[in-house]
């Protein structure tokens, strides 16, 4: 046994150590405790996803969620896991989940000063074919923890204190920003710890990939149609962009973050307000993109400036490399 190598393994930057290092000296540790409970939820879901087929968790639970989508058993389980983990942390006062019609107000004895918005299992329709899926989350502060209201939740994305996602794929990867850039952690199954593997993620200024569901092309507006046409047939003599679309937002955004390019879910005739939910899909991913040096745009404004009116509100989004998003912004500006 190589004792020197084993000793080296203990000097790792775990996600807990990283978060503690980043917190201000006067901090009480509440935020670190909350993140620890989110990490615990991610580990649990990662374990459940990896053996979903064996445990017969694949398939429909027989109910339909608030979005009108049939709920998979894994969706239901993941939602319960995160709600319980977040409430038991004693650091949350309001929870908003994609799977629940109403916001959950934590009972006064377990209340803390944070609001967590989350999609417990994004892309769960892809479980059956083994495609990467994930959990998306965002954290806000509450004005008055003794009297939290829905108004506290309906804040613009720029007010978020932290955001991240955990991707369950060939490895379990957690990408997090607490407002000081973006870092990626990979779960080491032998230690049960998330280890820092992607420090200071920066998205390339311009990418070679565009990511969009082209099956909706006949319903797109003129700007999206023109932009995608430019990706395929560039007028400036440059090489065309490659199309990559998984259909699982976490996986598509993760690839965009690492390799650059643009991820789009535009509004169309069928979904005039777009398809992605503002609070727990658009905001956290836009926050991460901006922290990594990219941009996020709705077609009308900066995504993080949007002020939602309902907890399950939807919005179009274009996010990714700075120059690529700048190009689509210029196209929208030219038609105004």
């Amino acid at each position: 046994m190589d004792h020197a190598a084993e000793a080296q393994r203990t000097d790792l930057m775990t996600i807990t150590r990283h978060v503690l290092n980043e917190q201000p000296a006067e901090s009480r540790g509440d935020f670190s405790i909350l993140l620890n409970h989110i990490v615990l939820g991610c580990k649990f879901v990662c374990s459940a996803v990896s053996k979903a087929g064996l445990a017969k968790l694949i398939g429909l639970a027989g109910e339909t969620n608030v979005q009108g989508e049939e709920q998979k058993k894994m969706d239901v389980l993941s939602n319960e896991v995160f709600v319980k983990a977040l409430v038991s942390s004693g650091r949350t006062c309001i929870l908003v989940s994609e799977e629940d019609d109403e916001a959950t107000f934590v009972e006064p004895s377990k209340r803390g000063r944070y609001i967590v918005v989350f999609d417990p299992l994004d892309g769960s329709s892809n479980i059956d074919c083994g495609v990467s899926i994930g959990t998306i989350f965002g954290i806000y502060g509450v004005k008055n923890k003794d009297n939290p209201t829905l108004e506290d939740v309906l804040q613009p994305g720029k007010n978020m204190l932290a955001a991240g996602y955990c991707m369950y794929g060939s490895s379990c990867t957690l990408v997090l920003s607490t407002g000081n850039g973006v870092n990626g952690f990979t779960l080491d199954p032998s230690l049960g710890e998330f280890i820092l593997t992607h420090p200071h993620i920066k998205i390339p200024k311009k990418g070679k990939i565009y990511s969009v569901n082209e099956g909706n092309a006949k319903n797109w507006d003129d700007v999206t149609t023109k932009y995608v046409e430019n990706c395929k047939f560039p007028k400036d003599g440059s090489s065309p962009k490659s199309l990559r679309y998984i259909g699982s937002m976490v996986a598509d955004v993760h690839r965009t973050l690492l390799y650059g390019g643009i991820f789009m879910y535009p509004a169309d005739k069928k979904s005039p307000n777009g398809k992605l939910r503002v609070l727990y899909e658009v905001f956290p991913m836009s926050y991460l993109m901006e922290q990594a040096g990219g941009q996020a745009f709705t077609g009308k404004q900066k995504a993080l400036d949007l002020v939602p009116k309902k907890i399950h509100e939807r919005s179009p989004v274009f996010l990714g490399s700075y120059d690529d998003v700048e190009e689509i912004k210029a196209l929208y500006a030219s038609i105004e």
Side-chain angles (χ1 to χ4, degrees):
M1 184 178 180
D2 186 345
H3 291 289
E6 284 299 309
Q8 182 63 35
R9 288 186 77 211
T10 62
D11 187 31
L12 298 167
M13 182 58 79
T14 65
I15 192 163
T16 308
R17 182 175 161 193
H18 174 82
V19 169
L20 287 169
N21 284 358
E22 280 206 333
Q23 73 178 19
E26 69 281 3
S27 176
R28 298 198 317 233
D30 285 359
F31 190 66
S32 306
I33 290 167
L34 172 59
L35 276 170
N36 253 342
H37 280 254
I38 291 173
V39 166
L40 178 65
C42 291
K43 288 178 186 172
F44 191 101
V45 173
C46 178
S47 170
V49 165
S50 65
K51 53 178 187 258
L54 296 171
K56 294 196 168 47
L57 286 165
I58 290 175
L60 301 173
E63 294 176 29
T64 302
N65 72 0
V66 61
Q67 315 299 338
E69 298 161 347
E70 288 185 305
Q71 281 182 306
K72 295 264 174 178
K73 291 178 188 174
M74 274 302 305
D75 285 8
V76 178
L77 175 73
S78 305
N79 192 45
E80 284 176 9
V81 165
F82 277 101
V83 169
K84 283 177 180 164
L86 291 165
V87 170
S88 68
S89 74
R91 302 299 183 274
T92 58
C93 56
I94 310 174
L95 309 177
V96 175
S97 165
E98 190 211 16
E99 298 298 328
D100 295 327
D101 302 23
E102 306 291 335
T104 301
F105 286 82
V106 179
E107 61 181 90
S109 63
K110 291 182 178 168
R111 243 175 231 168
R113 54 202 176 109
Y114 296 107
I115 295 162
V116 183
V117 294
F118 60 100
D119 184 344
L121 204 62
D122 183 74
S124 56
S125 61
N126 286 318
I127 277 194
D128 302 27
C129 57
V131 169
S132 295
I133 53 181
T135 299
I136 309 171
F137 62 90
I139 301 171
Y140 288 104
V142 70
K143 291 188 190 79
N144 177 3
K145 74 167 191 176
D146 297 321
N147 186 28
T149 67
L150 215 48
E151 289 304 307
D152 290 316
V153 179
L154 302 174
Q155 301 184 51
K158 63 186 176 188
N159 292 358
M160 272 186 174
L161 303 175
Y165 60 81
C166 187
M167 185 173 73
Y168 315 112
S170 53
S171 59
C172 182
T173 309
L174 197 150
V175 174
L176 174 72
S177 175
T178 56
N180 283 323
V182 182
N183 292 282
F185 303 81
T186 304
L187 183 65
D188 180 337
S190 66
L191 297 173
E193 286 280 7
F194 278 100
I195 309 299
L196 180 64
T197 49
H198 297 73
H200 314 300
I201 296 171
K202 285 283 171 208
I203 187 169
K205 198 154 186 294
K206 191 171 174 64
K208 297 175 182 170
I209 295 170
Y210 73 102
S211 185
V212 66
N213 182 355
E214 287 215 50
N216 294 331
K218 72 168 191 170
N219 295 318
W220 286 346
D221 63 14
D222 293 343
V223 170
T224 308
T225 304
K226 189 174 179 184
Y227 180 79
V228 170
E229 189 73 8
N230 290 348
C231 289
K232 295 195 268 198
F233 306 100
K235 308 277 191 293
D236 58 4
S238 60
S239 299
K241 283 185 175 2
S242 298
L243 169 66
R244 297 283 183 272
Y245 186 72
I246 298 163
S248 176
M249 190 192 190
V250 171
D252 278 314
V253 169
H254 187 66
R255 183 201 55 248
T256 306
L257 195 59
L258 296 184
Y259 299 166
I262 188 166
F263 169 82
M264 304 180 275
Y265 212 117
D268 58 31
K269 292 182 190 120
K270 210 167 57 177
S271 308
N273 298 319
K275 193 92 185 286
L276 298 176
R277 269 67 62 148
V278 173
L279 274 179
Y280 40 79
E281 289 175 329
V282 174
F283 279 170
M285 294 311 201
S286 300
Y287 185 91
L288 290 167
M289 278 298 164
E290 289 207 359
Q291 284 289 325
Q295 289 197 78
F297 180 62
T298 66
K300 291 179 181 167
Q301 67 186 120
K302 201 172 149 185
L304 292 179
D305 287 345
L306 198 61
V307 182
K309 295 182 178 63
K310 305 194 299 281
I311 61 171
H312 296 297
E313 192 170 311
R314 299 172 190 258
S315 169
V317 72
F318 304 86
L319 52 82
S321 293
Y322 193 93
D323 288 356
D324 292 322
V325 177
E326 203 59 33
E327 208 177 306
I328 204 147
K329 280 166 78 175
L331 285 174
Y332 271 106
S334 69
I335 61 162
E336 283 176 359

